[in-house]
């Protein structure tokens, strides 16, 4: 499994996202320029120029025509994927941390950071079919959680929004009314900041990663804790194989402490765990800094990782990976 090394960013990676067909990979980094790559050979297709700060997050529409990006420049932008042109800019008073299109691409959920006197918030925006009819106003704004909200994603049938962040609590909100429906249990939940959250392909469960050196698997409807995967480093990124019962965790120590250690000591590998048995089954080394982003191709035959070192590493699995008997 020789990785393809994709160099196009000048600063650390923040987020990776495949389109639904699995032929394109979108990457975000602190260098202001989201990039799109061919997912099979790692060739760079193009960039999306217009942001004025680190780009924290992105999502792509189901038909791969629209890209949405959230940035520290306090804007969220909609782009034409093919042409690389900006279609619309949403302005906020604080950095945008997380974005996700709803099923059907008619809504998007956006989280904004606490900034000056503003608290963190979850915004739901209506996405117009025609960009010329796009408006700025929010359908719903949810405030409440303390500290930064690092991720907000849609629950089943767009009926709920699942959020997680600095206060280490996972919350499920009603996406119509903004009412808080469920909170994760303090005992079984994470103990430190939740950095990442990813849903299973069927939406029935999701995985959260935290600086408390663990990842946890939750039932989407009931918020019941199903599994916990312990590791010896803070977890910055999590991913789930759509094909096999495998979970991948990426991380490493805090970026500020990286230069003080040898790269072998920093534990910068992507760790594979058996989803059911919770046992570590392998690791993929390569990055010279913490892994900040992980994503599986929807076909389950490859995955990519983005690091503090500015590289995206694309791994196509060997055929024998699919015959692992655990």
């Amino acid at each position: 499994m020789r990785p393809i090394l994709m160099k196009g960013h000048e600063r650390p990676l923040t987020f990776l996202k495949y389109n639904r067909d699995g032929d394109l990979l979108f990457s975000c980094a602190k260098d202001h320029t989201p990039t799109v790559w061919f997912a099979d050979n790692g060739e760079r297709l193009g960039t999306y120029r217009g942001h004025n700060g680190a780009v924290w997050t992105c999502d792509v529409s189901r038909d791969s025509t629209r890209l949405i990006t959230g940035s520290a420049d306090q804007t969220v932008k909609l782009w034409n994927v093919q042409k690389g042109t900006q279609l619309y800019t949403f302005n906020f008073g604080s950095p945008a941390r997380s974005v996700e299109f709803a099923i059907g691409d008619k809504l998007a959920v956006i989280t904004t950071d606490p900034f000056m006197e503003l608290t963190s918030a979850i915004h739901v925006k209506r996405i117009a079919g025609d960009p010329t009819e796009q408006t700025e106003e929010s359908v719903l704004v949810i405030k409440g959680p303390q500290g930064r909200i690092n991720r907000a994603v849609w629950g089943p049938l767009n009926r709920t929004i699942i959020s997680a962040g600095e206060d280490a609590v996972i919350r499920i909100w009603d996406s119509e009314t903004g009412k808080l429906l469920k909170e994760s249990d303090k005992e079984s939940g994470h103990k430190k900041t939740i950095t990442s959250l990813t849903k299973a392909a069927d939406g029935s469960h999701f995985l959260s990663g935290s600086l408390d050196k663990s990842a946890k698997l939750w039932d989407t409807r009931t918020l019941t804790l199903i599994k916990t995967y312990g590791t010896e480093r803070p977890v910055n990124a999590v991913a789930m194989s759509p094909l096999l019962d495998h979970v991948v965790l990426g991380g490493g120590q805090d970026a500020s402490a990286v230069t003080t250690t040898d790269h072998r000591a920093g534990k910068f590998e992507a760790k594979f765990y058996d989803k059911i048995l919770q046992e570590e089954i392998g690791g993929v080394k390569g990055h010279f800094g913490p892994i900040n982003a992980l994503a599986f191709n929807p076909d389950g035959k490859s995955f990519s990782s983005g690091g503090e070192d500015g590289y995206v590493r694309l791994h196509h699995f060997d055929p024998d990976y699919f015959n692992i008997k655990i």
Side-chain angles (χ1 to χ4, degrees):
M1 184 170 78
R2 240 191 105 198
I4 297 168
L5 222 65
M6 293 144 67
K7 181 71 175 155
H9 289 290
E10 295 155 18
R11 296 284 315 281
L13 270 288
T14 55
F15 201 75
L16 291 168
K17 180 79 187 179
Y18 284 92
N19 66 341
R20 184 167 156 267
D21 299 332
D23 60 340
L24 300 176
L25 174 63
F26 296 86
S27 61
C28 302
K30 292 184 182 175
D31 63 5
H32 311 181
T33 311
T35 301
V36 60
W37 317 74
F38 276 123
D40 58 344
N41 61 5
E43 187 183 326
R44 183 160 71 162
L45 257 169
T47 55
Y48 299 88
R49 296 188 179 274
H51 275 301
N52 213 351
V55 182
W56 294 120
T57 178
C58 69
D59 195 16
V60 58
S61 62
R62 195 177 164 88
D63 61 2
S64 301
T65 58
R66 304 271 185 92
L67 178 71
I68 187 169
T69 55
S71 168
D73 66 7
Q74 308 188 351
T75 68
V76 166
K77 289 181 186 288
L78 283 169
W79 309 80
N80 177 316
V81 167
Q82 204 171 354
K83 298 182 182 152
T85 50
Q86 291 183 46
L87 300 174
Y88 192 80
T89 300
F90 296 101
N91 291 292
F92 298 93
S94 58
R97 180 68 48 177
S98 157
V99 295
E100 190 182 68
F101 282 122
I103 302 162
D105 299 327
K106 296 210 167 41
L107 295 168
V109 64
I110 299 165
T111 69
T112 53
D113 287 355
F115 188 70
M116 314 285 266
E117 66 279 358
L118 292 171
T119 58
S120 56
I122 301 168
H123 309 257
V124 177
K125 301 279 189 188
R126 192 160 271 120
I127 305 293
D130 180 354
T132 56
E133 293 168 10
Q134 186 63 52
T135 58
E136 178 87 12
E137 80 244 32
S138 298
V139 186
L140 177 70
V141 179
I142 303 170
K143 294 180 176 167
Q146 294 302 304
R148 206 162 73 195
I149 306 167
N150 284 329
R151 288 295 288 149
V153 298
W154 294 94
L157 303 174
N158 301 339
R159 284 183 184 156
T160 54
I161 292 166
I162 304 160
S163 73
E166 278 188 343
D167 62 3
V169 180
I170 296 172
R171 293 182 177 86
I172 298 184
W173 312 84
D174 185 303
S175 60
E176 291 275 324
T177 62
K179 189 167 150 261
L180 180 61
L181 302 176
K182 289 189 177 69
E183 283 192 350
S184 61
D185 184 50
K186 281 271 193 292
E187 286 301 303
S188 60
H190 285 293
K191 303 293 180 273
K192 286 186 183 171
T193 297
I194 296 169
T195 53
S196 48
L197 204 145
T198 184
K199 292 181 288 190
D202 65 358
S204 65
H205 54 286
F206 65 91
L207 183 67
S208 61
S210 164
L211 298 182
D212 67 8
K213 304 182 181 176
S214 75
K216 289 177 186 284
L217 197 67
W218 307 84
D219 183 288
T220 306
R221 291 179 192 278
T222 62
L223 204 52
T224 313
L225 180 66
I226 306 169
K227 303 278 180 189
T228 299
Y229 311 93
T231 175
E232 65 278 7
R233 76 218 57 185
V235 179
N236 299 342
V238 291
M240 269 187 286
S241 169
L243 207 56
L244 301 174
D245 286 325
H246 289 176
V247 163
V248 189
L249 313 185
Q253 65 268 84
D254 186 50
S256 59
V258 167
T259 48
T260 59
T261 50
D262 179 61
H263 75 93
R264 288 185 298 278
K267 309 198 170 26
F268 306 135
E269 58 193 314
K271 292 255 186 199
F272 279 68
Y273 286 76
D274 184 281
K275 194 182 201 173
I276 316 297
L277 304 175
Q278 306 174 46
E279 292 169 358
E280 190 182 322
I281 51 176
V284 179
K285 291 188 174 70
H287 283 285
F288 286 95
I291 293 172
N292 295 337
L294 285 169
F296 259 96
N297 191 308
D299 68 5
K301 294 180 180 169
S302 61
F303 85 104
S304 54
S305 56
E308 193 75 22
D309 55 9
Y311 283 97
V312 178
R313 297 174 73 92
L314 176 65
H315 306 263
H316 287 280
F317 294 116
D318 298 329
D320 56 2
Y321 165 77
F322 301 102
N323 303 323
I324 296 175
K325 295 284 180 285
I326 299 164

